[in-house]
Amino acid sequence: GLDSLVGITTSFKMTTTNNTTTSKKSGPQSSTNWSITSSPLFTVLGSENSSPTAIQSFHSPLTSLRGLVVTTDEPICSLHIVLSTESNGGHHNNNWHHPHDGLPHTLEHLVFLGSQTHPHKGVLDKLANRCMADGTNAWTATDHTAYTLSTAGSEGAINLLPIFADHVLFPTITDAGFVTEVHHINGQGENKGVVYCEMQGRENSEGSLVDRACMELLYPTGSCGYSAETGGKMENLRTLTVDKVRRYHREYYTPDNTILVLTGNVEGEEFFKALDEVEALILKRREEGQQKDGGGGVSAEEKEGYRVGRPWIDSPIPPMVVGKGVYPPYDPSRADNDASMAPLSISFPSEDESRGTISIAWRGPSYQSKKEWNH
């Protein structure tokens, strides 16, 4: 309504360097003076857009929330909310969880059960269907978790962006939701739960066993997320608690670790308004938390467990240990039957005893040595 437009002021400063434009702009709902970087589209298939603002990135100096919009000619608009997630056992803070607990994966499931603003399961998908989308989706990878939505046209994606972000950043994570979605024991004494049954179907498969063995050889200690089973091992899921999931959310699902990406036939200004609505919600929740803290209402469990440093960037990468399954650097003087050259054998259940898998893997150079890549 007109009431929401009263008192809104917008400031705009712009500087240009080559093909990149940087500017400052005040949010219409928050008090944030956003940093905006714009550039023309480059080598994006299926687009003829040559506008100098076809790609715009947004950064909040208050919360470090980031947004990226890529304007193309495609009728389907895709929204991705991406967070850097790492299952490293909490090595930075008294090893408070096990790398195989599957915290990134279990949290991904619980996000869809409701948010503080919309605390009911199914609301997100019902709204997505009304926005000309085929529902919402998500995946958990080794180094990130992504929440996705695709709509016909941009209006639906823009309208749902703040609601989707509310679920991701401020989920309910209830005790009942954890029991149903992650793990419980039914009346017949069977282990059940959506996450548990999903991992039960793949933990002892040929591909999963070989992959786990390779990762544990490449990254041999429990303090590196690359060797972790981010989906969760059944043994760990049976003892996992909802409090650990809540703590993991506090550590990793923070604005400075989140980026919202929208691509398709969308206006950058519309995306900016929706992104700023998310920023305003974050600032509101932050103020509510400070008031709660000032009133002595925050528990010790809530106060502890905030992330130290950036995921992956500040995590140590252990050296490989030469031994069974890990070949030493090439040495022409070494005998072919050297014991250090023995491969690691992994057994897996199969109805066909004639089949097997050979997996060869190696670690590439570190990012810090990127200057040496171009040779």
Side-chain angles (χ1 to χ4, degrees):
L2 293 177
D3 291 343
S4 64
L5 301 178
V6 176
I8 294 177
T9 60
T10 302
S11 61
F12 188 82
K13 295 181 180 180
M14 183 173 67
T15 58
T16 303
T17 304
N18 296 329
N19 293 330
T20 302
T21 300
T22 59
S23 59
K24 296 283 188 179
K25 190 173 184 179
S26 297
Q29 294 194 37
S30 72
S31 56
T32 300
N33 194 25
W34 291 86
S35 297
I36 305 174
T37 303
S38 306
S39 69
L41 205 61
F42 53 92
T43 61
V44 175
L45 296 177
S47 175
E48 304 298 330
N49 195 329
S50 59
S51 166
T53 59
I55 299 177
Q56 290 184 291
S57 67
F58 304 83
H59 177 262
S60 163
L62 293 181
T63 66
S64 292
L65 180 68
R66 292 167 295 159
L68 179 69
V69 60
V70 181
T71 303
T72 70
D73 296 334
E74 299 171 273
I76 301 298
C77 288
S78 297
L79 171 67
H80 290 70
I81 304 177
V82 187
L83 305 98
S84 177
T85 49
E86 180 180 13
S87 186
N88 57 20
H91 68 85
H92 59 279
N93 197 346
N94 299 320
N95 298 314
W96 64 271
H97 71 91
H98 193 282
H100 298 327
D101 282 345
L103 289 171
H105 184 213
T106 56
L107 183 52
E108 174 218 312
H109 278 252
L110 294 176
V111 158
F112 291 95
L113 300 188
S115 70
Q116 294 182 23
T117 307
H118 306 86
H120 301 290
K121 179 182 178 180
V123 170
L124 193 58
D125 280 330
K126 288 182 179 179
L127 292 176
N129 292 335
R130 293 188 177 188
C131 291
M132 300 185 70
D134 56 353
T136 55
N137 208 343
W139 70 76
T140 301
T142 301
D143 59 358
H144 72 277
T145 303
Y147 299 86
T148 65
L149 167 76
S150 295
T151 63
S154 63
E155 184 178 2
I158 290 292
N159 289 336
L160 201 59
L161 185 153
I163 301 173
F164 205 169
D166 178 43
H167 279 72
V168 173
L169 295 174
F170 305 104
T172 53
I173 313 182
T174 63
D175 293 355
F178 176 85
V179 169
T180 302
E181 197 73 15
V182 180
H183 174 260
H184 63 273
I185 299 176
N186 66 12
Q188 288 73 45
E190 301 169 325
N191 290 287
K192 294 295 181 179
V194 178
V195 174
Y196 186 88
C197 290
E198 179 183 341
M199 299 311 298
Q200 188 177 38
R202 54 168 272 197
E203 182 171 309
N204 292 313
S205 65
E206 173 187 0
S208 181
L209 288 172
V210 171
D211 182 64
R212 291 267 48 79
C214 282
M215 292 299 102
E216 289 171 2
L217 291 174
L218 290 170
Y219 307 96
T221 70
S223 62
C224 179
Y226 287 118
S227 62
E229 174 52 87
T230 55
K233 287 190 174 181
M234 291 187 291
E235 177 184 3
N236 298 76
L237 291 172
R238 288 194 290 266
T239 59
L240 186 63
T241 65
V242 67
D243 287 333
K244 285 188 176 181
V245 180
R246 290 167 180 153
R247 177 168 176 174
Y248 190 85
H249 184 274
R250 288 198 302 272
E251 285 204 10
Y252 287 90
Y253 279 52
T254 55
D256 65 317
N257 197 39
T258 305
I259 185 170
L260 294 89
V261 183
L262 184 61
T263 64
N265 193 356
V266 58
E267 295 293 333
E269 182 62 26
E270 296 302 314
F271 173 77
F272 174 63
K273 292 178 181 177
L275 180 66
D276 188 66
E277 187 175 339
V278 178
E279 173 83 351
L281 178 62
I282 293 170
L283 294 174
K284 177 184 176 182
R285 297 286 188 231
R286 180 178 293 180
E287 182 180 358
E288 292 172 351
Q290 291 172 348
Q291 292 174 352
K292 184 179 180 182
D293 193 7
V298 178
S299 65
E301 289 77 10
E302 289 176 314
K303 288 182 178 179
E304 74 170 344
Y306 288 95
R307 192 183 70 249
V308 178
R310 289 295 306 278
W312 303 105
I313 295 176
D314 298 309
S315 297
I317 304 297
M320 295 176 64
V321 179
V322 175
K324 194 171 185 179
V326 179
Y327 285 23
Y330 174 70
D331 183 354
S333 65
R334 183 182 297 110
D336 291 338
N337 61 351
D338 192 317
S340 64
M341 303 289 283
L344 178 66
S345 297
I346 301 295
S347 299
F348 63 91
S350 175
E351 295 180 354
D352 182 4
E353 295 183 1
S354 66
R355 65 172 295 166
T357 296
I358 297 176
S359 181
I360 302 174
W362 56 90
R363 276 168 56 167
S366 66
Y367 180 76
Q368 286 72 17
S369 61
K370 58 183 180 297
K371 292 183 180 179
E372 303 173 12
W373 298 352
N374 297 322
H375 58 78

